[in-house]
Amino acid sequence: SDPSIPGAQVNVTGEMFIGPNAWVYPVSQPTNGGSVKFTVGSLDVNATGGFDATGRGFQGGAGWYSGSPAGYSDGYGPGHGGWVSGTPYQVFSKGSGAGHGGLGVQNTPVYGLTYGDYTAPVQPGSGGAGGDARDRTGGNGGGVIWIDATGTATVNGSLLADGTSPAEQGGAGAGGSVFLTCDKIEGSGTLSAKSLTFNGGDRRSGGAGGRIAVIYNTASQNAAPMPGLRFTASASASVEPTYAGVGSLYFPDNMFLTRGNVLKLSGAWMRNDFAGWNQADLTLDNAWLDMVSGGTPVALTGNLVVLGTNPNLSRLVLTNSPVAVGGNTLLDGGGLVLYPGATSAASMDVAVNLV
C-alpha cells in the first residue's frame, strides 16, 4: 500500500487542544502500517499531555515457536528484525534490532534496514525479532504522529513515536515517525521517534532511531521567538560492541542549529547546506547529533561542551570537519567523534583544555 495515503483521517477545522493529563494514542496497523493523519486549524499541547504512539507501529516478533515448521518469528515492517547467527558483531545467535531512520544492530541484507522519506516521514517503525522462547518477544516499532496544522503548532507536552525494548535475546523496535507541518512551531516540549534503551539483559540487539520532520513557514518561524523544543530520533543501546543507527531530523532551514547555543537535537541532520558554527559557545545537551553531510566547520571563541550520561548515546559526530575552540572542550558524560574525510580537512585545535 502507498504509505502517503493515510489509513484513517481526523479533521478539526479549528484548534485541537490537548489539555493537562490528556493523551491521544494514534495506532498504526501492526502488519501493514496503515496510520492516522490529523488535519487541524491549529495545535496546542499542554505540558502534561500529548500524543503517544510508543510501540504502536509494526509488531515485534513473537519468539521461538514449536509449530509446523518450528522456528523463530521475525518482526514486521520494511526494516524488521530477524534471527541471525554468525555475524561479525556478536558471539551468540539472537534476534536482530529493527531499522528505520538508521540500521538496526545485527543488520543483514535482509534485516534491520533503513527505509522511508526523511522529508515527509509517514511510516511506522519496524518490529524487532523475537528471541529463543515464546515469551521472548521483539520490541514493537514506534507508530506515526502525522499532523497537518494550518496555523501555529504549540508543543509544550510530548509527541512520542518511540520503539519499545525487547525481551531476552530479542531485537528492539525502531523509532517511528513524527511528521508535523504548520505555519510555525512554538513551545518547550519534546518530539521523539527514538528506540527506547533497555537495561541489561542477555544478548539483546538495539533498534534504530526513527524519523522526525517539521515543515514550517520559514518567514513566520524566524520572526517568532526561538522554541525550547527537544527533538529525539536516537537509537537504543545494545549489549553488542556496536550500536544501532541514529534516525533522521529534517527542517526547511538550519534555524535549530544557529539560533541559540544549546542544542537539543538527536538525529542525523539531513540538510547539506549548513555553513557551520561561528560563535562564542556551543553545548550539546544530552543528545546525539550526526552532521552527515561532512565538512561542517566549527569555529568557537568560547567553549564546546557535550553533556550526557553515555558517550555512545550522547555525542557530536563530525566528518572531515575543521574544529577550532578558543576556550575549553568539556566532554561531561558525552562524546565527540571526528571522522577523517577524503580531503583531509579534519582537524581539532583547542586553545585551553580538553577535559
Side-chain angles (χ1 to χ4, degrees):
S1 61
D2 183 353
S4 66
I5 300 174
Q9 182 87 40
V10 176
N11 300 307
V12 179
T13 302
E15 179 184 69
M16 184 171 186
F17 175 63
I18 310 299
N21 302 309
W23 290 90
V24 176
Y25 298 100
V27 178
S28 298
Q29 208 284 337
T31 59
N32 69 31
S35 301
V36 184
K37 179 182 180 182
F38 295 82
T39 301
V40 303
S42 60
L43 177 69
D44 189 350
V45 181
N46 183 269
T48 58
F51 288 72
D52 189 355
T54 298
R56 294 177 170 88
F58 284 111
Q59 182 177 308
W64 187 86
Y65 59 97
S66 57
S68 179
Y72 297 93
S73 176
D74 293 353
Y76 287 89
H80 67 278
W83 187 259
V84 293
S85 179
T87 72
Y89 301 110
Q90 48 94 49
V91 178
F92 304 100
S93 299
K94 64 177 183 177
S96 65
H100 183 192
L103 295 170
V105 168
Q106 308 267 80
N107 61 84
T108 73
V110 178
Y111 302 134
L113 305 180
T114 62
Y115 59 94
D117 181 357
Y118 66 81
T119 67
V122 293
Q123 291 178 268
S126 291
D132 65 350
R134 178 171 289 276
D135 60 346
R136 293 179 177 177
T137 57
N140 292 336
V144 177
I145 298 176
W146 183 359
I147 304 171
D148 181 3
T150 304
T152 299
T154 302
V155 181
N156 287 309
S158 301
L159 307 184
L160 306 175
D162 299 335
T164 59
S165 302
E168 184 176 332
Q169 292 188 314
S177 294
V178 177
F179 182 35
L180 171 63
T181 58
C182 57
D183 182 54
K184 64 179 183 292
I185 185 170
E186 300 176 342
S188 57
T190 296
L191 288 75
S192 179
K194 65 185 178 182
S195 179
L196 292 171
T197 293
F198 43 86
N199 296 317
D202 178 36
R203 293 176 275 170
R204 306 187 197 193
S205 298
R211 298 192 185 278
I212 298 174
V214 179
I215 309 301
Y216 45 74
N217 179 309
T218 55
S220 298
Q221 190 68 60
N222 283 277
M226 178 65 176
L229 296 159
R230 181 176 292 276
F231 300 92
T232 302
S234 54
S236 59
S238 177
V239 296
E240 299 298 339
T242 185
Y243 282 74
V246 71
S248 62
L249 300 177
Y250 184 76
F251 305 90
D253 60 15
N254 295 301
M255 181 199 75
F256 281 101
L257 292 178
T258 59
R259 291 180 64 186
N261 61 4
V262 178
L263 305 182
K264 302 176 182 179
L265 303 165
S266 290
W269 192 263
M270 302 306 293
R271 297 194 65 86
N272 61 8
D273 59 350
F274 179 51
W277 290 283
N278 187 353
Q279 60 195 59
D281 301 307
L282 181 65
T283 297
L284 191 65
D285 180 12
N286 287 276
W288 175 353
L289 180 60
D290 189 346
M291 303 301 296
V292 296
S293 64
T296 303
V298 180
L300 307 178
T301 57
N303 301 318
L304 172 63
V305 180
V306 183
L307 302 174
T309 57
N310 181 339
N312 290 307
L313 297 175
S314 299
R315 54 182 172 172
L316 176 61
V317 182
L318 303 167
T319 300
N320 204 36
S321 295
V323 179
V325 180
N328 297 299
T329 294
L330 174 62
L331 306 179
D332 186 0
L336 176 63
V337 181
L338 183 59
Y339 290 113
T343 62
S344 301
S347 64
M348 184 167 187
D349 295 293
V350 180
V352 187
N353 297 313
L354 173 60
V355 182

